[in-house]
Amino acid sequence: MMTIKMGRRALIASVVATLSLVGSLASPVLAEGHKTLESIHFLIPGGAGGGWDGTARGTGEALTKAGLVATASYENMSGGGGGKAIGYLIENAESNHGTLMVNSTPIVIRSLTGVFPHNFRDLTLVAGTIGDYAAIVVGKDSPVNSMSDLLAAYDANPSKTAIGGGSVPGGMDHLVAAMVMEAAGKDALEVKYIPYDAGGKAMAALLSGEIAALSTGFSEAINLANAGEVKIIGVTSDARVGVAPDVMTMKEQGIDTSFVNWRGFFAAPGLSEDKLAMYQDALAKMYDTPEWEEVRARNGWVNIHNSGDDFKGFLEEQEQVIGDLMKKLGFL
């Protein structure tokens, strides 16, 4: 476990603001002549309970229940901030052409910062599929019930008010925590952030009292909140999310910030055009199924879909903007 201080406030604000623009991506165009896939194996670069895990399993659930895919299997391979799974998929490409790997914004950020040597160009780009809001949560027995309570606790004892996240330093949970605290008028440089390898471990740390609050994806938080394990004290949506109408937005609590993170799927290099088209077709058709709507609504996700060249163009633009900001501020 490692404790770090948040830095480069200007970068944090700029990067997160840039990434939030992803919510304007186009809606899917459904393909014709669909043939049901026999199987998909989902490779998940983090542990159980994280946002990648939930996205892969939710997508597999919808695809199989809707009859678009006959069977789905799952493999968690955490390590290196997602780099272990990416390296594995590249190094074992020929035997993994039945595999889809879930990933998100960190595949851009972590390749730029050298956390791992590969980038999205080393993979076959399949499609971006959803957006997930971020949330700040506390344990069910915590005296904290709102962002105001958390800020008061921080003011009283900053060193005892650590915020954890299920990603490496500089990852999305880190950036979101910094963005929220900065927008609340605190110095993000002074906020203690504790990273964990995947959301499940971070959630365990929260429930054990190791950290005061957790920065995580909204979809990761909602199931535990519904089970009474945690309290969600703020969500980064512009308006309240239908699946949790009692959860206040950050803006409602005087913290002027919003954020949505994309997630999508990649395949091994060298995947045939026919197989790629089948994956893209199945994912596109999924959006019109009641099975997908059930999964989407349950997790509070936003439908964000871009496929093939559109996905590539978006990733290249994001890489350019984030890279320019990091160079300007001395990160690269």
Side-chain angles (χ1 to χ4, degrees):
M1 183 181 72
M2 174 172 47
T3 299
I4 65 172
K5 294 292 184 68
M6 298 177 180
R8 302 295 201 278
R9 287 172 284 166
L11 171 67
I12 291 164
S14 300
V15 169
V16 174
T18 299
L19 300 182
S20 296
L21 295 177
V22 71
S24 63
L25 294 175
S27 299
V29 177
L30 300 184
E32 297 296 326
H34 166 73
K35 294 181 180 178
T36 302
L37 283 163
E38 287 300 317
S39 66
I40 294 179
H41 180 66
F42 288 97
L43 180 62
I44 303 162
W52 286 333
D53 187 71
T55 301
R57 293 178 189 274
T59 301
E61 175 189 334
L63 288 170
T64 53
K65 287 185 175 180
L68 296 168
V69 175
T71 62
S73 57
Y74 310 91
E75 178 181 3
N76 293 88
M77 186 181 291
S78 60
K84 181 178 179 180
I86 294 173
Y88 171 82
L89 195 60
I90 292 169
E91 293 162 13
N92 300 278
E94 290 186 7
S95 60
N96 280 282
H97 284 169
T99 297
L100 291 186
M101 181 188 69
V102 63
N103 218 292
S104 56
T105 310
I107 198 171
V108 175
I109 295 175
R110 291 171 187 169
S111 62
L112 284 171
T113 55
V115 173
F116 44 72
H118 308 294
N119 63 49
F120 60 84
R121 294 178 186 83
D122 298 313
L123 301 163
T124 297
L125 309 185
V126 180
T129 55
I130 64 151
D132 187 15
Y133 297 116
I136 301 295
V137 306
V138 297
K140 64 178 181 179
D141 297 322
S142 171
V144 172
N145 292 298
S146 66
M147 285 302 301
S148 294
D149 290 346
L150 180 64
L151 295 171
Y154 175 79
D155 289 339
N157 195 336
S159 66
K160 295 286 187 180
T161 315
I163 300 177
S167 62
V168 296
M172 293 314 306
D173 293 340
H174 181 185
L175 292 176
V176 169
M179 173 190 69
V180 169
M181 294 300 281
E182 190 75 10
K186 307 305 174 186
D187 187 349
L189 291 165
E190 299 300 320
V191 177
K192 183 187 293 184
Y193 174 78
I194 302 180
Y196 297 87
D197 186 12
K201 293 181 180 179
M203 194 68 73
L206 177 70
L207 298 179
S208 70
E210 191 172 300
I211 52 178
L214 177 65
S215 171
T216 187
F218 181 75
S219 62
E220 298 170 52
I222 191 63
N223 290 332
L224 285 173
N226 289 339
E229 294 296 322
V230 302
K231 296 180 288 188
I232 304 174
I233 60 172
V235 61
T236 61
S237 54
D238 287 323
R240 294 198 186 192
V241 182
V243 72
D246 295 331
V247 176
M248 295 182 69
T249 67
M250 295 297 175
K251 289 185 175 182
E252 284 182 284
Q253 300 179 76
I255 301 172
D256 189 14
T257 190
S258 61
F259 170 76
V260 62
N261 177 34
W262 66 269
R263 295 197 183 111
F265 293 95
F266 300 78
L271 184 71
S272 71
E273 289 295 327
D274 287 347
K275 192 67 175 287
L276 173 60
M278 292 180 74
Y279 285 142
Q280 291 172 333
D281 183 36
L283 289 170
K285 288 183 178 298
M286 177 184 72
Y287 288 91
D288 279 350
T289 68
E291 291 83 3
W292 171 250
E293 178 55 24
E294 179 183 347
V295 170
R296 185 211 62 78
R298 183 177 73 219
N299 288 286
W301 292 335
V302 180
N303 280 334
I304 294 174
H305 180 247
N306 56 351
S307 190
D309 288 341
D310 288 339
F311 192 27
K312 179 182 178 182
F314 165 71
L315 291 172
E316 289 179 339
E317 181 178 357
Q318 186 179 67
E319 180 186 57
Q320 182 66 49
V321 172
I322 294 172
D324 287 347
L325 287 169
M326 288 182 168
K327 287 176 184 175
K328 180 179 180 180
L329 296 166
F331 278 73
L332 296 175

